[in-house]
Short mmCIF file of all heavy atoms in Angstrom, two decimals:
data_model
loop_
_atom_site.label_atom_id
_atom_site.label_comp_id
_atom_site.label_asym_id
_atom_site.label_seq_id
_atom_site.Cartn_x
_atom_site.Cartn_y
_atom_site.Cartn_z
N LYS A 1 14.56 -4.72 12.39
CA LYS A 1 13.68 -5.56 11.57
C LYS A 1 12.25 -5.07 11.72
O LYS A 1 11.77 -4.81 12.83
CB LYS A 1 13.79 -7.03 11.98
CG LYS A 1 15.10 -7.68 11.55
CD LYS A 1 15.06 -9.18 11.74
CE LYS A 1 16.33 -9.85 11.23
NZ LYS A 1 16.44 -9.77 9.75
N TYR A 2 11.55 -4.96 10.57
CA TYR A 2 10.21 -4.40 10.55
C TYR A 2 9.20 -5.42 10.03
O TYR A 2 9.50 -6.17 9.09
CB TYR A 2 10.17 -3.17 9.64
CG TYR A 2 10.98 -2.01 10.14
CD1 TYR A 2 12.34 -1.92 9.85
CD2 TYR A 2 10.39 -0.99 10.88
CE1 TYR A 2 13.10 -0.84 10.29
CE2 TYR A 2 11.13 0.10 11.33
CZ TYR A 2 12.48 0.16 11.04
OH TYR A 2 13.22 1.22 11.49
N PRO A 3 8.00 -5.43 10.61
CA PRO A 3 6.93 -6.24 10.01
C PRO A 3 6.55 -5.65 8.65
O PRO A 3 6.63 -4.43 8.44
CB PRO A 3 5.78 -6.11 11.01
CG PRO A 3 6.04 -4.82 11.73
CD PRO A 3 7.53 -4.68 11.78
N VAL A 4 6.16 -6.51 7.73
CA VAL A 4 5.87 -6.06 6.38
C VAL A 4 4.43 -6.41 6.02
O VAL A 4 3.90 -7.46 6.40
CB VAL A 4 6.85 -6.68 5.36
CG1 VAL A 4 6.73 -8.20 5.33
CG2 VAL A 4 6.64 -6.10 3.96
N ILE A 5 3.78 -5.49 5.29
CA ILE A 5 2.43 -5.73 4.77
C ILE A 5 2.50 -5.62 3.25
O ILE A 5 2.90 -4.58 2.70
CB ILE A 5 1.42 -4.70 5.30
CG1 ILE A 5 1.32 -4.76 6.82
CG2 ILE A 5 0.04 -4.93 4.67
CD1 ILE A 5 0.47 -3.64 7.42
N PHE A 6 2.14 -6.70 2.56
CA PHE A 6 2.02 -6.67 1.11
C PHE A 6 0.58 -6.31 0.77
O PHE A 6 -0.35 -7.05 1.10
CB PHE A 6 2.38 -8.03 0.50
CG PHE A 6 3.84 -8.37 0.61
CD1 PHE A 6 4.30 -9.14 1.68
CD2 PHE A 6 4.75 -7.93 -0.33
CE1 PHE A 6 5.64 -9.47 1.80
CE2 PHE A 6 6.10 -8.25 -0.22
CZ PHE A 6 6.54 -9.01 0.85
N HIS A 7 0.39 -5.15 0.13
CA HIS A 7 -0.94 -4.74 -0.33
C HIS A 7 -1.04 -5.13 -1.80
O HIS A 7 -0.27 -4.65 -2.63
CB HIS A 7 -1.11 -3.23 -0.15
CG HIS A 7 -2.48 -2.73 -0.50
ND1 HIS A 7 -2.75 -1.41 -0.73
CD2 HIS A 7 -3.66 -3.39 -0.67
CE1 HIS A 7 -4.04 -1.26 -1.02
NE2 HIS A 7 -4.60 -2.45 -1.00
N VAL A 8 -1.99 -6.00 -2.14
CA VAL A 8 -1.99 -6.66 -3.44
C VAL A 8 -3.29 -6.42 -4.22
O VAL A 8 -4.33 -6.12 -3.66
CB VAL A 8 -1.78 -8.19 -3.27
CG1 VAL A 8 -0.42 -8.48 -2.65
CG2 VAL A 8 -2.89 -8.82 -2.41
N TYR A 9 -3.19 -6.56 -5.51
CA TYR A 9 -4.35 -6.71 -6.40
C TYR A 9 -4.03 -7.84 -7.38
O TYR A 9 -4.47 -8.95 -7.20
CB TYR A 9 -4.71 -5.41 -7.13
CG TYR A 9 -5.96 -5.60 -7.95
CD1 TYR A 9 -7.21 -5.65 -7.34
CD2 TYR A 9 -5.90 -5.75 -9.34
CE1 TYR A 9 -8.37 -5.86 -8.07
CE2 TYR A 9 -7.06 -5.95 -10.09
CZ TYR A 9 -8.29 -6.01 -9.45
OH TYR A 9 -9.43 -6.22 -10.18
N GLY A 10 -3.29 -7.55 -8.45
CA GLY A 10 -2.71 -8.62 -9.25
C GLY A 10 -3.51 -9.15 -10.40
O GLY A 10 -3.10 -10.11 -11.05
N GLU A 11 -4.68 -8.57 -10.73
CA GLU A 11 -5.47 -9.01 -11.88
C GLU A 11 -5.43 -7.95 -12.97
O GLU A 11 -4.89 -6.86 -12.77
CB GLU A 11 -6.89 -9.34 -11.43
CG GLU A 11 -6.95 -10.56 -10.51
CD GLU A 11 -8.34 -11.16 -10.37
OE1 GLU A 11 -9.25 -10.77 -11.13
OE2 GLU A 11 -8.51 -12.04 -9.51
N PRO A 12 -6.02 -8.23 -14.16
CA PRO A 12 -5.86 -7.32 -15.30
C PRO A 12 -6.48 -5.94 -15.15
O PRO A 12 -6.30 -5.11 -16.03
CB PRO A 12 -6.56 -8.10 -16.44
CG PRO A 12 -6.41 -9.53 -16.08
CD PRO A 12 -6.58 -9.54 -14.58
N TRP A 13 -7.21 -5.68 -14.06
CA TRP A 13 -7.85 -4.37 -13.94
C TRP A 13 -7.23 -3.50 -12.86
O TRP A 13 -7.89 -2.58 -12.35
CB TRP A 13 -9.36 -4.53 -13.71
CG TRP A 13 -10.06 -4.61 -15.02
CD1 TRP A 13 -10.13 -5.69 -15.84
CD2 TRP A 13 -10.74 -3.56 -15.70
NE1 TRP A 13 -10.81 -5.38 -17.00
CE2 TRP A 13 -11.21 -4.08 -16.93
CE3 TRP A 13 -11.01 -2.23 -15.40
CZ2 TRP A 13 -11.91 -3.32 -17.86
CZ3 TRP A 13 -11.72 -1.47 -16.32
CH2 TRP A 13 -12.17 -2.01 -17.53
N GLY A 14 -5.98 -3.72 -12.49
CA GLY A 14 -5.40 -2.84 -11.50
C GLY A 14 -3.89 -2.92 -11.42
O GLY A 14 -3.31 -4.01 -11.41
N GLN A 15 -3.24 -1.76 -11.38
CA GLN A 15 -1.80 -1.65 -11.20
C GLN A 15 -1.55 -1.02 -9.83
O GLN A 15 -2.19 -0.05 -9.46
CB GLN A 15 -1.20 -0.79 -12.31
CG GLN A 15 0.32 -0.71 -12.30
CD GLN A 15 0.86 0.13 -13.44
OE1 GLN A 15 0.12 0.53 -14.35
NE2 GLN A 15 2.15 0.41 -13.41
N MET A 16 -0.62 -1.57 -9.06
CA MET A 16 -0.44 -1.15 -7.67
C MET A 16 0.80 -0.29 -7.44
O MET A 16 0.77 0.65 -6.66
CB MET A 16 -0.35 -2.39 -6.77
CG MET A 16 -1.62 -3.23 -6.74
SD MET A 16 -3.00 -2.38 -5.97
CE MET A 16 -2.47 -2.36 -4.25
N ALA A 17 1.90 -0.62 -8.07
CA ALA A 17 3.17 0.08 -7.80
C ALA A 17 3.27 1.32 -8.67
O ALA A 17 4.10 1.42 -9.58
CB ALA A 17 4.35 -0.85 -8.03
N THR A 18 2.40 2.30 -8.41
CA THR A 18 2.31 3.49 -9.24
C THR A 18 2.84 4.71 -8.50
O THR A 18 2.83 4.77 -7.27
CB THR A 18 0.86 3.75 -9.66
OG1 THR A 18 0.05 3.91 -8.49
CG2 THR A 18 0.32 2.58 -10.48
N ASP A 19 3.26 5.70 -9.27
CA ASP A 19 3.78 6.94 -8.69
C ASP A 19 2.62 7.91 -8.44
O ASP A 19 2.56 9.01 -8.96
CB ASP A 19 4.80 7.56 -9.64
CG ASP A 19 5.67 8.61 -8.95
OD1 ASP A 19 5.43 8.88 -7.76
OD2 ASP A 19 6.57 9.15 -9.60
N THR A 20 1.69 7.45 -7.61
CA THR A 20 0.55 8.25 -7.18
C THR A 20 0.59 8.37 -5.66
O THR A 20 1.22 7.56 -4.98
CB THR A 20 -0.78 7.59 -7.59
OG1 THR A 20 -0.79 6.23 -7.13
CG2 THR A 20 -0.96 7.60 -9.09
N TRP A 21 -0.08 9.39 -5.14
CA TRP A 21 -0.05 9.64 -3.71
C TRP A 21 -0.46 8.39 -2.94
O TRP A 21 -1.45 7.74 -3.26
CB TRP A 21 -0.97 10.80 -3.35
CG TRP A 21 -0.88 11.20 -1.90
CD1 TRP A 21 0.25 11.43 -1.19
CD2 TRP A 21 -1.97 11.38 -0.99
NE1 TRP A 21 -0.06 11.75 0.12
CE2 TRP A 21 -1.41 11.73 0.26
CE3 TRP A 21 -3.35 11.28 -1.12
CZ2 TRP A 21 -2.20 11.99 1.39
CZ3 TRP A 21 -4.13 11.54 -0.01
CH2 TRP A 21 -3.56 11.89 1.23
N ILE A 22 0.30 8.04 -1.91
CA ILE A 22 0.10 6.78 -1.20
C ILE A 22 -1.15 6.78 -0.33
O ILE A 22 -1.68 5.72 0.00
CB ILE A 22 1.33 6.42 -0.33
CG1 ILE A 22 1.58 7.51 0.72
CG2 ILE A 22 2.54 6.19 -1.21
CD1 ILE A 22 2.67 7.17 1.70
N GLY A 23 -1.63 7.93 0.07
CA GLY A 23 -2.85 7.99 0.86
C GLY A 23 -2.62 7.90 2.35
O GLY A 23 -1.56 7.50 2.83
N LEU A 24 -3.66 8.26 3.10
CA LEU A 24 -3.54 8.38 4.56
C LEU A 24 -3.37 7.04 5.26
O LEU A 24 -2.66 6.93 6.26
CB LEU A 24 -4.77 9.11 5.11
CG LEU A 24 -4.92 10.57 4.69
CD1 LEU A 24 -6.28 11.11 5.14
CD2 LEU A 24 -3.80 11.42 5.26
N TYR A 25 -4.03 5.99 4.75
CA TYR A 25 -3.97 4.72 5.47
C TYR A 25 -2.56 4.13 5.42
O TYR A 25 -2.07 3.59 6.42
CB TYR A 25 -4.99 3.72 4.93
CG TYR A 25 -5.13 2.50 5.81
CD1 TYR A 25 -5.52 2.61 7.14
CD2 TYR A 25 -4.86 1.22 5.32
CE1 TYR A 25 -5.64 1.49 7.96
CE2 TYR A 25 -5.00 0.10 6.12
CZ TYR A 25 -5.38 0.24 7.44
OH TYR A 25 -5.50 -0.88 8.26
N ASP A 26 -1.88 4.23 4.31
CA ASP A 26 -0.50 3.75 4.24
C ASP A 26 0.42 4.59 5.12
O ASP A 26 1.37 4.07 5.73
CB ASP A 26 0.00 3.76 2.79
CG ASP A 26 -0.38 2.48 2.05
OD1 ASP A 26 -1.21 1.71 2.57
OD2 ASP A 26 0.14 2.25 0.94
N ILE A 27 0.17 5.91 5.17
CA ILE A 27 0.95 6.75 6.09
C ILE A 27 0.74 6.29 7.52
O ILE A 27 1.69 6.15 8.31
CB ILE A 27 0.54 8.23 5.93
CG1 ILE A 27 0.93 8.75 4.55
CG2 ILE A 27 1.19 9.10 7.01
CD1 ILE A 27 0.42 10.14 4.24
N PHE A 28 -0.52 6.02 7.87
CA PHE A 28 -0.85 5.54 9.21
C PHE A 28 -0.15 4.22 9.53
O PHE A 28 0.43 4.05 10.61
CB PHE A 28 -2.37 5.38 9.32
CG PHE A 28 -2.84 4.63 10.53
CD1 PHE A 28 -2.83 5.22 11.79
CD2 PHE A 28 -3.31 3.33 10.42
CE1 PHE A 28 -3.26 4.53 12.91
CE2 PHE A 28 -3.75 2.63 11.53
CZ PHE A 28 -3.72 3.23 12.78
N LEU A 29 -0.19 3.27 8.60
CA LEU A 29 0.45 1.97 8.84
C LEU A 29 1.96 2.12 9.01
O LEU A 29 2.56 1.46 9.86
CB LEU A 29 0.14 1.01 7.68
CG LEU A 29 -1.30 0.51 7.58
CD1 LEU A 29 -1.47 -0.35 6.32
CD2 LEU A 29 -1.70 -0.30 8.81
N ALA A 30 2.56 3.00 8.22
CA ALA A 30 4.00 3.24 8.37
C ALA A 30 4.30 3.84 9.74
O ALA A 30 5.32 3.51 10.37
CB ALA A 30 4.50 4.16 7.26
N GLN A 31 3.43 4.70 10.23
CA GLN A 31 3.61 5.27 11.57
C GLN A 31 3.47 4.21 12.66
O GLN A 31 4.02 4.36 13.76
CB GLN A 31 2.60 6.39 11.80
CG GLN A 31 2.87 7.64 10.98
CD GLN A 31 1.82 8.71 11.20
OE1 GLN A 31 0.79 8.48 11.83
NE2 GLN A 31 2.09 9.91 10.71
N GLN A 32 2.75 3.14 12.35
CA GLN A 32 2.62 2.03 13.30
C GLN A 32 3.82 1.09 13.26
O GLN A 32 3.86 0.10 13.99
CB GLN A 32 1.34 1.24 13.00
CG GLN A 32 0.05 2.05 13.11
CD GLN A 32 -0.18 2.59 14.49
OE1 GLN A 32 -0.09 1.87 15.49
NE2 GLN A 32 -0.46 3.89 14.58
#
């Protein structure tokens, strides 16, 4: 079982679940 972090935006000026590079901070959090 893993702790989960929901990274959110949710308003008309941003889409989150995109097929773009996830970036270093998400890699770091996954390593944690």
Side-chain angles (χ1 to χ4, degrees):
K1 287 191 176 292
Y2 294 86
V4 62
I5 299 172
F6 291 94
H7 184 197
V8 297
Y9 184 75
E11 293 197 10
W13 272 78
Q15 185 178 351
M16 296 293 290
T18 59
D19 196 357
T20 53
W21 186 49
I22 61 174
L24 294 172
Y25 190 59
D26 274 13
I27 294 173
F28 168 74
L29 290 176
Q31 290 178 350
Q32 299 298 311

